[in-house]
Amino acid sequence: IAEDFEYGVFDCTNKEMVYGRYVDLKEDNASEPTSSQFPQLNKDAYYFGVYFPNKTSTLAGEMWIWGFSSLVLLIVVVFFGYTLSAIFRQKKLSEIQKDFINNMTHEFKTPISTIALSSDVLQSKEIVQQPERLTQYAQIIKKEATRLQNQVDRVLQMATVEKNTISLTRQEINLNELIAQSVQSAQLNLKEGGEIRFEPPVEDIIINADKVHLTNIIYNLLDNAVKYTEKAPTVVIAASSDNDGVVISIQDDGKGIDKKDHELIFKKFYRIPTGNVHNVKGFGLGLYYVKMIVEAHQGKITVDSSENGTTFTVHLPKSI
């Protein structure tokens, strides 16, 4: 061991050091001590000890290569982990994009095919002599065109919904009238026997908000309540006002949403897994759009669900 050291002799009888010496190898002071310096040890009660005062710095100096190697290994592991994370994230985004394109293709293909078939029927000469049939196919074309327009609008909405890019045109709105109009539009999609109930408050609720986006919020929530209730739905919408702002709640009697999906349903393109059954079409954009617009109005949206139904609650300030 080529290190400076110190050695000494301890007398256990007198409990004191009888000899000690520091040896500095760099100064070559390791010569043999004279007999007058080293005591006569004529009994057994002695301890001889050697101490290396610089052992910590020496070991640290010798282990720098191991520390450097460990640091390099840590960097490689972190980079490898980040690479795997990026690969899985890109894979997930690719799957989401693929699902979105497939859904969009099916959503657009059905109304386009229906419109094309109806147009072929209207081009026949016999249809002129059948006014009831003519009216029926004209109504089909109008209905499918409206459906197609709604899907296009929903996709286009997402182009303006990204954070910090939403432009709101605020104005004073009578919330009671706005909800009544949205209910009237949503009733067109009701199954036979279903109903949407809205009892407006006695006093009008005036709110400063973007009329177009607020209408879309209410309509999207009503549309979801109707679509995701397998039986004839009963949807109840209510509005109230207090000093803190405005509260809008939409309650349905569907099968409910699993608690683990409560946060996920507001993410872009997310749709609750239903196995191989896809009886409800969509892009997974509706609730994402709703949340972004609510937050743009400095409000919040919450969901409460059980096996007896789901309630979405929107809290908005009256004015900002």
Side-chain angles (χ1 to χ4, degrees):
I1 303 176
E3 290 296 327
D4 299 346
F5 64 93
E6 183 179 357
Y7 67 93
V9 178
F10 181 76
D11 187 348
C12 296
T13 304
N14 300 328
K15 296 182 179 181
E16 61 181 11
M17 294 291 296
V18 296
Y19 182 78
R21 183 170 179 234
Y22 179 80
V23 179
D24 187 350
L25 298 182
K26 295 179 181 179
E27 296 183 1
D28 196 20
N29 292 333
S31 57
E32 292 292 332
T34 61
S35 57
S36 59
Q37 291 177 317
F38 198 85
Q40 295 292 328
L41 307 178
N42 53 9
K43 52 186 178 180
D44 296 332
Y46 292 98
Y47 281 123
F48 178 80
V50 179
Y51 172 66
F52 296 90
N54 302 323
K55 63 180 180 179
T56 302
S57 58
T58 301
L59 289 174
E62 292 179 352
M63 291 184 66
W64 72 270
I65 186 63
W66 298 104
F68 178 76
S69 301
S70 300
L71 179 61
V72 171
L73 180 62
L74 179 62
I75 294 175
V76 171
V77 170
V78 170
F79 180 75
F80 181 71
Y82 174 78
T83 303
L84 283 180
S85 175
I87 291 174
F88 287 129
R89 187 166 59 251
Q90 290 296 328
K91 181 181 178 182
K92 184 177 180 179
L93 291 175
S94 178
E95 292 175 352
I96 290 175
Q97 183 185 35
K98 181 180 178 181
D99 291 340
F100 171 72
I101 293 174
N102 290 337
N103 286 334
M104 184 175 65
T105 302
H106 287 295
E107 287 287 325
F108 289 167
K109 186 176 181 180
T110 301
I112 290 174
S113 300
T114 305
I115 291 173
L117 290 173
S118 299
S119 299
D120 291 338
V121 173
L122 292 178
Q123 288 177 354
S124 64
K125 297 180 180 179
E126 295 81 6
I127 197 69
V128 179
Q129 300 174 358
Q130 301 173 343
E132 293 182 359
R133 192 180 176 198
L134 177 64
T135 303
Q136 180 184 359
Y137 279 100
Q139 290 175 346
I140 291 175
I141 291 177
K142 182 178 180 181
K143 180 181 177 181
E144 294 300 324
T146 302
R147 177 183 173 187
L148 185 61
Q149 182 63 49
N150 290 337
Q151 297 296 349
V152 172
D153 289 342
R154 183 162 295 185
V155 175
L156 293 177
Q157 284 171 0
M158 305 316 301
T160 59
V161 171
E162 297 300 331
K163 291 182 178 178
N164 302 324
T165 62
I166 302 175
S167 178
L168 300 179
T169 304
R170 297 182 181 273
Q171 63 185 93
E172 287 191 353
I173 302 170
N174 187 323
L175 186 60
N176 296 352
E177 295 179 356
L178 187 69
I179 293 177
Q181 294 172 2
S182 299
V183 169
Q184 186 177 4
S185 299
Q187 283 176 337
L188 299 175
N189 300 324
L190 274 176
K191 303 179 181 71
E192 185 177 356
E195 64 173 333
I196 301 177
R197 296 202 301 259
F198 171 58
E199 295 184 3
V202 177
E203 298 182 358
D204 290 339
I205 300 176
I206 306 300
I207 183 174
N208 186 22
D210 187 296
K211 185 176 182 179
V212 174
H213 286 303
L214 187 56
T215 302
N216 290 336
I217 289 175
I218 298 172
Y219 180 82
N220 282 348
L221 292 176
L222 288 174
D223 188 49
N224 279 354
V226 171
K227 287 193 306 184
Y228 291 99
T229 302
E230 296 179 356
K231 58 182 182 180
T234 299
V235 182
V236 179
I237 179 170
S240 61
S241 175
D242 54 27
N243 294 331
D244 295 330
V246 174
V247 178
I248 306 169
S249 65
I250 298 175
Q251 180 182 0
D252 63 52
D253 57 350
K255 64 179 181 179
I257 302 172
D258 198 315
K259 191 172 183 179
K260 64 181 178 63
D261 293 317
H262 283 188
E263 292 295 329
L264 298 175
I265 58 177
F266 294 106
K267 292 185 178 296
K268 187 190 295 185
F269 303 126
Y270 182 81
R271 302 193 69 202
I272 298 176
T274 56
N276 294 324
V277 180
H278 301 281
N279 53 346
V280 179
K281 299 299 182 181
F283 301 143
L285 299 175
L287 289 177
Y288 172 77
Y289 168 79
V290 168
K291 184 179 180 182
M292 292 298 101
I293 296 300
V294 169
E295 291 180 348
H297 283 84
Q298 299 185 15
K300 65 178 181 178
I301 181 171
T302 58
V303 57
D304 183 28
S305 186
S306 67
E307 59 183 9
N308 298 321
T310 302
T311 301
F312 285 92
T313 305
V314 177
H315 303 261
L316 295 173
K318 287 184 178 180
S319 60
I320 301 176

